[in-house]
Amino acid sequence: MKSRELAEHHAVLGFTPQEAVRWLSPMSLARTALKVMAATVFADFGDKRELEGGFPADPLRLDKLPVPGQPAQPSVSSRGLPLPGELPGELPETVPAATDMWLDYTADLGDGFDSTYTVASLLAQDSLSVDGHELPRGRVLVLGGDEVYPVASPAAYENRMAGPYRMAFPKRNVALRGPQSTVSGQDSLQSGPHSETPIMLALPGNHDWYDGLTSFIRTFTRQRSIGRWRTIQTRSYFAVRLSGEPPGPDGKGTPGWWLLGLDSQLGQYIDEPQLDYFYRNVTLQLQRGDAIILCVASPFWVKAAEPGLNAFRQVNFFEQDYLRRRFDPETQTFQPTGASVRLWLSGDLHHYARYEQRGPGEPRNLPADPIRTQMVTCGLGGAYLSDAHWLPDDVILPAPSTAPGESAAVRDSTATPRRFTRMPAVYPGPADSRQLGRRLANPLSPLWLPVRNPGFGPSLGLVHIAATLTLWTVFSAFRGESFVDSLRSLREGNTALLVVGVVLAMPLLLAVVALTARALGLASSGLVVFVRGALYQLSALAVSAAVVILIPWPDWPDVVVLLLAVTLAYLGGWAVGSEAFALFILATPTGEVSSWKMSGQSIEDHKGFLRMHLTPDGDLTIYPLMVDTVCRDWQLATNDDGARLVPANGLPTVRLLEQPITIARKGSTP
């Protein structure tokens, strides 16, 4: 069965499988625009993260899980009692240091069923054999943002994310005991990666924020399960110690790895309850030698044309003042924690790219070195594929702040900035990225703009009719003739010269505007982009007008001639106007319009995720995995767990996108 047929079985499946979002269809554009405007207003006047300050703030633990299905309720430890470090002899139970752990990371997932369910099914497999590596399923699955498209709502979460993931990894019936007890039976914490309760942690992206975070909080902070994956977080951000032991009364502990998820709310700021959460659960517990995996909702390091402090300000402030340093209220100074962020993870951009730390003067091409910090973008969880050829070769980020009395939020460091270099393994590669983008303007491709986006061609056809009637009315009034008489009068004189002038006038004007804007450095100006888009459509309208002029209209009734001319304008808008719009997108090098050449195609293939291995020696190894083609043919199977869809031809072959990357717990001095 294809994805369109699956919706007929929604009663059996428990959700309605969805097709991939058609981003340039008029309905999707209108719906998304309204939600974005509402989210922007909400972000200014109401922020649900402030309300999360009343949610439980207890440390998350992998060895003791809350009872599934219970709503989050404040516990004794989150009712304003002194911190454990302030009460010697009353420290929390020590968490055993993990010696071996697997983790999974995926982002940008809740789009079309075929791609989302393919990735979810691969994540749910007990183990994957990839290029000679045996890779067990991760104990922890991190969803790095944008868990639903195009906008968040309860139905969208159920149909596009929770339903497919629940079906990919069906829940087993297990017996539970106690409010903070491990799960019995096969879900208990016995040795081996398949006997542990799989954990799901989620970070909101901008699309999760489009309903004010309401649906995200209901889905991921209620201690419920999505299939066999357990959700344990109580807020839209999280902190989990993966290995090591916290410092005791004597201040000594075992350094290890931390996993943090930061919610930066549409890239604006970090709220006070969130900072307090991290200060209590992470900053005060950090010790020398701790390594941190920091998940953020967007790769801020590549968002700006010239990445720097402005593009990186919020996460840089958090890293400097809450992870590398801790504030001492007694001395009113910042003291180094000895910890460092060793791996940055992000989605939001639907491609794979990795940046590696470089020292001052170091060349780009160096052998692999585990001590180097890595920045990885992997947004291949299910949403449309993005291009990557525009990524900068290097990004320059603020240096660590060294002034003990000043916050990184109000001071620009004068030290040598940090430099990160883009590694060769980018997907899609620059050549493939450009080639894929051109398909939007190929009328013979199934991904052609009006074919891939239902309603786009007809809507543009109606716009062209309105423009035609408006211009025709003005022209007829100027000539003092009726519509049809003014049309027939155009064939008097040099018709060929008239047609050439009509067809070439707008493209020539477009070229002049584009060259002038580029010379003045205004090519990316919003006004210039709008004018260019209008000129592209006027050029398409001129082609339709030329066709109407060249037709030797017989002596038909005026109403018939009028209807035929309007029909030609509509067809011209549908085909020529759509092609002109696609060419306009391809000719726009940067900005939001430029991104439409990939989102407009809704490419469902080329998906992937990260599988990471935390080894007993303290190293973290990343395996970037991908599939070139997702499953599109499904069979409905039933078993003890209920109805379930399985691939008709088996799951696709998984391959390594690049060789595994090893990161040592102790890194180089930045």
Side-chain angles (χ1 to χ4, degrees):
M1 289 184 292
K2 304 300 181 181
S3 58
R4 291 184 178 181
E5 304 174 69
L6 298 179
E8 301 174 2
H9 301 274
H10 64 91
V12 177
L13 299 175
F15 67 99
T16 304
Q18 303 290 308
E19 293 187 351
V21 176
R22 303 301 195 257
W23 290 97
L24 295 185
S25 68
M27 290 300 297
S28 293
L29 285 174
R31 183 168 53 246
T32 303
L34 290 174
K35 281 282 189 176
V36 170
M37 288 188 292
T40 303
V41 173
F42 180 87
D44 292 335
F45 296 99
D47 187 346
K48 277 197 173 62
R49 294 177 307 169
E50 304 288 352
L51 302 179
E52 288 183 311
F55 292 4
D58 302 294
L60 303 181
R61 296 178 56 172
L62 300 181
D63 64 323
K64 287 188 175 181
L65 306 181
V67 176
Q70 297 298 317
Q73 294 293 335
S75 58
V76 173
S77 59
S78 62
R79 293 182 181 270
L81 296 179
L83 295 175
E86 299 173 346
L87 295 175
E90 298 185 23
L91 294 172
E93 180 181 344
T94 301
V95 180
T99 58
D100 191 270
M101 182 182 293
W102 289 84
L103 304 96
D104 290 331
Y105 177 91
T106 189
D108 306 286
L109 52 141
D111 200 336
F113 175 80
D114 290 339
S115 55
T116 299
Y117 190 57
T118 297
V119 173
S121 298
L122 291 170
L123 289 167
Q125 299 300 302
D126 287 344
S127 182
L128 296 173
S129 297
V130 184
D131 297 345
H133 302 277
E134 195 65 27
L135 310 177
R137 182 182 60 245
R139 170 72 198 284
V140 178
L141 170 60
V142 179
L143 307 181
D146 288 345
E147 280 75 57
V148 66
Y149 289 95
V151 292
S153 68
Y157 269 100
E158 177 63 24
N159 294 328
R160 293 187 179 274
M161 182 269 156
Y165 270 72
R166 184 170 58 242
M167 186 171 61
F169 199 18
K171 184 178 180 181
R172 297 176 182 174
N173 294 324
V174 295
L176 305 171
R177 60 178 186 274
Q180 289 276 345
S181 176
T182 60
V183 182
S184 64
Q186 291 187 339
D187 280 347
S188 62
L189 287 174
Q190 306 297 328
S191 61
H194 308 314
S195 59
E196 299 172 327
T197 304
I199 303 301
M200 177 183 286
L201 298 170
L203 192 65
N206 57 307
H207 290 271
D208 302 291
W209 264 98
Y210 288 160
D211 74 337
L213 215 61
T214 299
S215 300
F216 180 93
I217 292 174
R218 292 174 180 173
T219 302
F220 296 107
T221 68
R222 298 295 180 89
Q223 316 295 307
R224 294 169 181 167
S225 296
I226 298 178
R228 283 191 62 202
W229 282 294
R230 288 285 309 280
T231 62
I232 64 171
Q233 67 193 83
T234 58
R235 302 186 178 192
S236 59
Y237 38 88
F238 56 83
V240 179
R241 181 192 293 274
L242 299 176
S243 64
E245 296 181 1
D250 56 358
K252 296 181 180 180
T254 304
W257 283 86
W258 289 81
L259 175 64
L260 309 184
L262 186 66
D263 179 7
S264 55
Q265 191 239 24
L266 301 175
Q268 295 191 20
Y269 76 106
I270 305 173
D271 56 291
E272 290 299 326
Q274 183 172 185
L275 293 175
D276 181 71
Y277 170 91
F278 282 112
Y279 182 79
R280 291 173 177 268
N281 292 319
V282 180
T283 308
L284 293 177
Q285 303 298 320
L286 290 175
Q287 54 194 318
R288 181 166 300 277
D290 273 346
I292 299 168
I293 303 171
L294 181 58
C295 303
V296 293
S298 183
F300 300 104
W301 48 91
V302 296
K303 279 292 187 181
E306 296 180 359
L309 185 62
N310 289 335
F312 203 63
R313 183 178 299 276
Q314 287 299 317
V315 290
N316 176 69
F317 154 71
F318 178 75
E319 181 201 12
Q320 302 301 328
D321 288 2
Y322 283 81
L323 302 181
R324 289 184 177 272
R325 307 185 300 172
R326 67 168 63 93
F327 184 71
D328 188 339
E330 294 183 356
T331 63
Q332 294 292 302
T333 60
F334 289 92
Q335 304 297 330
T337 63
S340 61
V341 178
R342 302 290 293 117
L343 173 62
W344 298 76
L345 289 178
S346 179
D348 193 41
L349 300 179
H350 309 163
H351 58 230
Y352 174 85
R354 178 170 64 91
Y355 284 82
E356 187 174 85
Q357 182 184 6
R358 289 287 184 270
E362 287 187 335
R364 290 178 50 82
N365 299 322
L366 290 176
D369 191 341
I371 69 171
R372 300 184 185 278
T373 301
Q374 306 287 338
M375 290 179 159
V376 179
T377 303
C378 186
L380 301 173
Y384 66 88
L385 183 68
S386 296
D387 53 12
H389 63 273
W390 57 271
L391 290 172
D393 292 334
D394 295 280
V395 294
I396 307 301
L397 304 178
S401 182
T402 55
E406 295 182 359
S407 168
V410 296
R411 180 180 184 274
D412 294 345
S413 175
T414 58
T416 303
R418 292 176 287 176
R419 170 174 157 250
F420 286 78
T421 295
R422 177 169 55 81
M423 294 292 98
V426 176
Y427 193 85
D432 292 336
S433 182
R434 291 185 177 90
Q435 184 177 2
L436 290 170
R438 296 189 190 106
R439 297 187 301 183
L440 184 72
N442 182 2
L444 302 179
S445 170
L447 300 179
W448 187 36
L449 174 61
V451 173
R452 191 60 171 166
N453 297 272
F456 185 88
S459 298
L460 205 51
L462 294 176
V463 171
H464 275 233
I465 287 179
T468 298
L469 292 177
T470 301
L471 295 175
W472 199 352
T473 300
V474 173
F475 178 74
S476 300
F478 180 78
R479 297 286 297 268
E481 299 174 336
S482 67
F483 280 4
V484 177
D485 290 340
S486 63
L487 174 60
R488 289 196 173 102
S489 67
L490 293 176
R491 291 190 57 82
E492 300 174 359
N494 195 333
T495 305
L497 180 62
L498 175 63
V499 169
V500 171
V502 169
V503 172
L504 295 183
M506 289 300 107
L508 288 176
L509 180 58
L510 173 62
V512 171
V513 170
L515 292 175
T516 304
R518 183 175 301 178
L520 297 176
L522 301 174
S524 59
S525 167
L527 178 60
V528 172
V529 172
F530 175 80
V531 171
R532 285 180 52 247
L535 289 175
Y536 268 94
Q537 289 306 305
L538 288 175
S539 300
L541 188 61
V543 174
S544 301
V547 173
V548 172
I549 293 172
L550 287 174
I551 293 178
W553 296 100
D555 191 17
W556 290 341
D558 288 357
V559 66
V560 174
V561 174
L562 177 62
L563 289 176
L564 289 175
V566 169
T567 301
L568 288 174
Y570 173 82
L571 295 176
W574 194 102
V576 184
S578 296
E579 180 65 11
F581 196 87
L583 293 174
F584 160 65
I585 293 173
L586 295 183
T588 305
T590 59
E592 181 67 23
V593 173
S594 177
S595 69
W596 294 349
K597 62 176 169 286
M598 299 298 283
S599 64
Q601 298 182 57
S602 300
I603 301 174
E604 297 181 81
D605 289 324
H606 316 294
K607 296 297 173 274
F609 56 94
L610 304 178
R611 183 148 287 179
M612 297 173 281
H613 186 201
L614 182 58
T615 58
D617 60 5
D619 289 347
L620 181 72
T621 302
I622 306 174
Y623 298 86
L625 307 178
M626 76 163 300
V627 295
D628 295 303
T629 306
V630 302
C631 301
R632 288 183 170 84
D633 194 7
W634 307 94
Q635 293 179 345
L636 188 62
T638 56
N639 51 31
D640 293 340
D641 298 317
R644 189 181 182 208
L645 292 172
V646 296
N649 300 310
L651 288 171
T653 302
V654 184
R655 65 178 178 89
L656 279 172
L657 201 149
E658 66 172 319
Q659 289 303 307
I661 306 109
T662 299
I663 306 174
R665 180 172 56 80
K666 295 182 178 179
S668 60
T669 302

